[in-house]
Amino acid sequence: MAATGLLMSSNLSIEASNQINECAETSPYPSMLINLQASMTTEEKIGQMSQFFSHGEYISEHLAESIRQGRVGSVLNEVRLHTVNELQRLAVEESRLGIPLLVGRDVIHGFNTIFPIPLGQAASWCSETVKQCARISALEAATVGVNWTFAPMIDISRDPRWGRIAESLGEDPHLCSVLGVAMVEGFQGDALHKDGNIAACAKHFAGYGAGESGRDYSTVNIPENELRNVYLPPFKAVADAGVATFMSAFNDLNGVPASGNKWLMTDILRQEWNYPGFVVSDWESIQQLTTHGFSKDNKDAAYEAANAGIDMEMVSTTYLDHLPDLLAQGHISIQQVDTAVTKILQLKWQLGLFDSPYTDASMLPVPLNPEHLQIAKDAAIKSCVLLKNENNILPLSAESLHSIAIIGPLADDPYEQLGTWIFDGDSQYSQTCLQAIEQLLLGQVSIKHVKAMQTSRSYNQADFKQAVDSASAADVAVLILGEESILSGEAHCRAEIGLPGCQEQLIDAIAQTGTPIVLVIMAGRPLTIEDILPKVDAVLFAWHPGTMGGPAIADLLFGKAYPSGKLPVTFPRKVGQVPIYYAQKHSGKPATEATYVHMDDIPVRSPQTSLGMAATHLDTHFSPLFPFGFGLSYTQFHYQNLEISSKTLHLGETLTIKVLLTNTGKIEGEEVVQLYIRDLVGSVTRPVKELKDFKRVKLAAGESDYITFDLCTDKLAFYDRNMQLNIEAGQFHLWVGGCSQTGLRDEFEIIDD
Ligand code: NOJ
């Protein structure tokens, strides 16, 4: 929330303010709010349910007047401190009841200091890192009076064509839940009213990541069982962790748009989960109920949304325009409005806004300070995933190199390394790979930089010759390629997900020189890089690494740091495999190596049933290019002595799993030890593997350690065909390893007596 107020609200007495301090966060609904709500007119209540868009040096007269009239509960996208304080002053001093404003902003992966995109942060598999990034994001955003962020985005994302996969925490319900909770804890701290804490928002409820063919905003059809077992668990996890708000999604879900979906917003969120916070619509998504063809006009849209349980309307004004009539005509009850208003006022109370509506930035750390930058660098280091390292070409040794060619449109572009959703980031603070490598090598090695392409999308090969010449003359070519920021994020979806423009031709040209190639890829999504792999010696996947991406990558390339990221999402070989994810169902005809036939190997006029008859494609292998959980290190880890505490378990018992992990290489490293299970027979079919736990472990060269997991049978529950959450007795397989496709295996049985 805002730091201690500079000005006291004229509408609050000193006694009232002291009283608020005493009961801040202790009372479910303080008497001061009961009295306040009792004195509100219907119009003022509907005003609290309305969020206005503000962005500019000057506050429009329309906005100022709306605030004075009590028609505004929240503003979004205003980040000028003096303007935010003036907006609060208008609300607190010039409106009849002096109710302060919620000030919202998309603080997605940093405010001024930009951290790796959320998908990159997820690749760290490190709750502490994710929490720290959110913590600093909150501290920096709070300096300008922002008290509410629209994050975390916890939409399960299994389609890399979808631009917003960049903003997600990946494909897996468990990883997404754990890291989503870490983000909420980072934003909200231990109490919302403390300086530098801001309210978080779980979005987009629900199913937004499963739009048809990866197109943003498109139709989503998810059977209820799949929705409950895969898409809803992260939302339930953050609800249980106390996330302050939810946001409804743009998409229609099984025919009912989320922003008018009573089953989602009321039956599940409020009744099943007892969620006490409020739900804000996405941007104009209530008005869009009409565009969806779900409501006949805006009045009908307001009715559907209010009736579904959407408490606050973002940007469109169907509530302001139509709730008075809907109330007067008895379609909506005043109790429904009161329920929404109570939750909104309560959050303002919890944030301490009635006591301190104004922001004094001097109470908070200065954005972009060295500590924030260091944490951004550490996060970028942990998020990079080493996908290939032929003959241990990495780390490069400065001592044994004379010259290095640094090639590519993203090598020295301070903006494009930041990624999507960086409204408040400033690329002048970015440190690029070229800058960082130059600084690290300090003249020890000759560096030749050639941009080669103006942008990642360029088809102009005019500068290729210069790039090839520089690579020919160098001991190693470091290619820094990928996608520029605009190619991922909201509404930025792609049908093909290879390297854009003529980057593949650039790799071909450099490969012909024979100079070893280290490829660094910055991107907002998994890319189809199968054809490129044989042409390069190493691939470091850096996502969009943020402000400190350059120093992080330089340290990794030259061994000042070691890679430890693991993929939070499966990399397909070909886009036609999408959706491809590790936790797929087995199917009745699973693909196997023994039966797999590639189309090039099919004899002419083969009979229809002569092939493997399995769930796969003819023109690509059924496996992914890189599986979920995969990532190399500069050292090697050996797993042995898997032990489980029992071969049989009764409901409610806990299985202890122990494995001996050894760093068998010559340098220190960090491994993410992953625990997967398979429930062999279920009343609904179960995934071939499910992540249940993970631990990040640091080991010195030669060091061993026993890693243990406690797996309570509760973690094996799933929604059955009657949509009941149950643990079903039977056989389970269990794996412990460094990725979803490898690991030591054991078995156990759950007995229900
Ligand atoms: C639309 C996006 O879908 C949502 O995630 C974001 O928070 C809002 N706009 C506000 O900018």
Side-chain angles (χ1 to χ4, degrees):
M1 62 139 286
T4 309
L6 294 173
L7 309 161
M8 272 304 292
S9 151
S10 64
N11 289 357
L12 286 174
S13 68
I14 300 291
E15 292 92 305
S17 151
N18 288 342
Q19 193 190 344
I20 291 164
N21 272 333
E22 274 164 30
C23 45
E25 304 222 12
T26 56
S27 159
Y29 200 58
S31 56
M32 179 264 176
L33 292 188
I34 296 174
N35 297 337
L36 175 64
Q37 198 166 338
S39 67
M40 291 171 82
T41 63
T42 302
E43 285 68 27
E44 285 165 336
K45 289 177 181 173
I46 296 170
Q48 287 304 306
M49 298 169 69
S50 304
Q51 184 181 54
F52 279 50
F53 172 44
S54 160
H55 192 54
E57 191 70 30
Y58 304 102
I59 299 169
S60 72
E61 196 39 45
H62 170 66
L63 176 58
E65 200 41 36
S66 301
I67 293 174
R68 286 187 197 105
Q69 288 171 11
R71 287 164 60 83
V72 184
S74 170
V75 291
L76 84 160
N77 287 355
E78 185 49 73
V79 289
R80 290 171 173 82
L81 175 58
H82 63 275
T83 312
V84 171
N85 276 337
E86 175 58 11
L87 289 166
Q88 292 289 20
R89 195 195 64 75
L90 286 167
V92 165
E93 299 199 2
E94 297 194 15
S95 73
R96 191 177 76 89
L97 295 171
I99 302 173
L101 298 166
L102 290 171
V103 180
R105 182 65 158 174
D106 289 291
V107 184
I108 306 298
H109 55 113
F111 188 68
N112 299 137
T113 303
I114 301 297
F115 300 98
I117 54 170
L119 192 60
Q121 290 183 39
S124 75
W125 291 56
C126 180
S127 306
E128 200 42 46
T129 296
V130 170
K131 186 171 165 179
Q132 273 185 326
C133 294
R135 176 82 204 115
I136 292 164
S137 306
L139 284 169
E140 293 194 351
T143 61
V144 298
V146 167
N147 50 41
W148 182 19
T149 177
F150 305 123
M153 188 188 106
I154 45 175
D155 298 307
I156 293 297
S157 303
R158 295 179 165 181
D159 193 329
R161 295 170 297 185
W162 189 45
R164 294 195 86 166
I165 195 170
E167 195 187 342
S168 82
L169 297 169
E171 74 180 40
D172 181 66
H174 180 72
L175 183 64
C176 188
S177 300
V178 170
L179 301 183
V181 167
M183 243 186 218
V184 171
E185 288 172 354
F187 287 129
Q188 298 192 169
D190 57 358
L192 282 170
H193 68 274
K194 292 189 184 161
D195 282 354
N197 291 344
I198 63 177
C201 182
K203 70 187 189 184
H204 307 83
F205 198 55
Y208 184 42
E212 284 178 350
S213 81
R215 274 173 296 128
D216 214 350
Y217 318 125
S218 65
T219 299
V220 172
N221 281 300
I222 308 175
E224 183 177 343
N225 188 267
E226 183 80 352
L227 190 72
R228 288 180 177 275
N229 282 321
V230 176
Y231 290 85
L232 297 187
F235 288 96
K236 174 73 164 63
V238 298
D240 290 346
V243 68
T245 62
F246 265 54
M247 185 187 291
S248 64
F250 281 127
N251 54 281
D252 73 325
L253 177 66
N254 304 332
V256 182
S259 298
N261 197 317
K262 189 162 194 265
W263 176 75
L264 261 182
M265 303 299 159
T266 300
D267 298 2
I268 295 213
L269 185 59
R270 273 55 177 263
Q271 288 171 3
E272 270 188 42
W273 298 357
N274 285 321
Y275 177 65
F278 76 81
V279 179
V280 63
S281 75
D282 203 341
W283 188 288
E284 296 181 337
S285 66
I286 298 185
Q287 188 172 288
Q288 287 164 16
L289 294 177
T290 311
T291 322
H292 275 284
F294 180 73
S295 310
K296 67 177 186 302
D297 53 25
N298 286 346
K299 182 173 176 184
D300 193 21
Y303 165 76
E304 292 289 357
N307 204 40
I310 307 292
D311 303 294
M312 183 181 280
E313 177 169 19
M314 186 186 284
V315 178
S316 52
T317 57
T318 70
Y319 278 7
L320 282 169
D321 298 342
H322 302 292
L323 283 189
D325 267 5
L326 288 165
L327 278 162
Q329 291 160 2
H331 298 303
I332 293 287
S333 70
I334 193 67
Q335 287 77 14
Q336 285 175 289
V337 169
D338 272 322
T339 302
V341 173
T342 297
K343 290 182 281 188
I344 293 163
L345 293 181
Q346 181 137 18
L347 178 59
K348 295 182 177 188
W349 173 274
Q350 289 168 333
L351 283 161
L353 288 172
F354 285 97
D355 193 28
S356 299
Y358 302 110
T359 296
D360 175 3
S362 70
M363 307 291 290
L364 294 163
V366 179
L368 289 155
N369 69 49
E371 188 196 347
H372 294 189
L373 294 176
Q374 183 60 46
I375 290 170
K377 179 178 169 185
D378 292 344
I381 287 173
K382 285 205 171 86
S383 73
C384 286
V385 184
L386 184 63
L387 296 178
K388 176 174 181 177
N389 195 15
E390 197 75 23
N391 300 324
N392 292 329
I393 183 174
L394 290 177
L396 299 170
S397 149
E399 289 74 42
S400 51
L401 290 176
H402 295 105
S403 61
I404 158 171
I406 299 182
I407 298 168
L410 300 179
D412 192 29
D413 192 322
Y415 179 82
E416 302 298 355
Q417 69 186 50
L418 296 180
T420 184
W421 285 120
I422 49 133
F423 289 151
D424 305 295
D426 185 341
S427 60
Q428 69 169 304
Y429 298 100
S430 292
Q431 299 183 31
T432 68
C433 289
L434 179 66
Q435 290 166 346
I437 293 172
E438 281 174 346
Q439 202 172 348
L440 193 72
L441 300 182
L442 280 179
Q444 289 176 66
V445 179
S446 128
I447 298 174
K448 174 88 174 137
H449 168 232
V450 182
K451 194 170 177 187
M453 294 166 60
Q454 280 315 299
T455 70
S456 69
R457 287 170 285 158
S458 164
Y459 286 98
N460 185 338
Q461 302 188 6
D463 292 341
F464 274 26
K465 180 167 181 329
Q466 207 193 341
V468 166
D469 290 348
S470 71
S472 299
D475 297 326
V476 63
V478 176
L479 270 58
I480 305 186
L481 306 179
E483 288 179 316
E484 59 209 85
S485 298
I486 196 69
L487 299 184
S488 59
E490 185 177 346
H492 301 170
C493 306
R494 297 180 60 200
E496 295 287 355
I497 51 169
L499 284 169
C502 58
Q503 294 184 73
E504 292 200 18
Q505 289 89 323
L506 178 64
I507 294 173
D508 285 342
I510 306 288
Q512 278 170 18
T513 65
T515 302
I517 297 177
V518 171
L519 174 61
V520 176
I521 297 181
M522 296 185 187
R525 56 163 65 77
L527 299 177
T528 45
I529 52 172
E530 184 176 30
D531 295 344
I532 294 163
L533 284 181
K535 301 170 190 166
V536 302
D537 297 274
V539 180
L540 184 70
F541 208 88
W543 316 99
H544 285 129
T547 306
M548 293 298 284
I553 291 166
D555 280 9
L556 286 167
L557 294 181
F558 288 91
K560 304 273 176 225
Y562 45 78
S564 58
K566 299 274 187 174
L567 295 179
V569 63
T570 302
F571 273 43
R573 295 172 183 277
K574 303 262 184 285
V575 74
Q577 290 180 299
V578 169
I580 181 169
Y581 48 92
Y582 84 94
Q584 61 188 296
K585 299 290 183 72
H586 206 225
S587 87
K589 288 177 182 275
T592 63
E593 290 292 354
T595 57
Y596 178 71
V597 185
H598 189 276
M599 65 192 270
D600 293 347
D601 302 323
I602 302 174
V604 175
R605 297 205 195 288
S606 295
Q608 168 73 26
T609 54
S610 65
L611 305 182
M613 310 304 284
T616 186
H617 301 103
L618 290 179
D619 48 0
T620 191
H621 192 265
F622 54 83
S623 60
L625 184 60
F626 294 109
F628 175 82
F630 177 80
L632 301 170
S633 167
Y634 290 159
T635 186
Q636 295 79 44
F637 292 99
H638 181 63
Y639 289 78
Q640 61 190 324
N641 300 356
L642 176 64
E643 287 170 29
I644 61 175
S645 56
S646 173
K647 287 280 181 191
T648 54
L649 273 183
H650 296 271
L651 294 185
E653 288 182 345
T654 294
L655 186 72
T656 300
I657 300 138
K658 205 162 112 176
V659 73
L660 183 62
L661 180 71
T662 305
N663 177 347
T664 55
K666 295 195 175 59
I667 59 166
E668 182 183 274
E670 274 175 63
E671 170 73 327
V672 178
V673 182
Q674 301 161 40
L675 169 68
Y676 295 89
I677 62 103
R678 178 173 177 201
D679 187 346
L680 294 195
V681 179
S683 61
V684 292
T685 55
R686 308 303 304 133
V688 292
K689 273 188 185 172
E690 289 178 87
L691 181 73
K692 289 294 167 188
D693 209 344
F694 58 91
K695 279 189 179 156
R696 214 174 214 280
V697 183
K698 185 193 281 191
L699 290 180
E703 194 185 357
S704 296
D705 200 2
Y706 273 104
I707 314 302
T708 53
F709 294 103
D710 287 325
L711 182 68
C712 173
T713 54
D714 290 357
K715 285 194 178 167
L716 304 173
F718 63 91
Y719 284 89
D720 63 18
R721 63 181 95 161
N722 300 316
M723 306 307 150
Q724 297 302 310
L725 187 62
N726 267 325
I727 307 158
E728 294 184 358
Q731 289 290 334
F732 287 77
H733 287 174
L734 164 156
W735 295 259
V736 179
C739 103
S740 61
Q741 303 305 315
T742 58
L744 301 177
R745 204 194 78 157
D746 209 334
E747 300 178 8
F748 62 96
E749 184 179 1
I750 292 194
I751 297 170
D752 184 7
D753 34 35

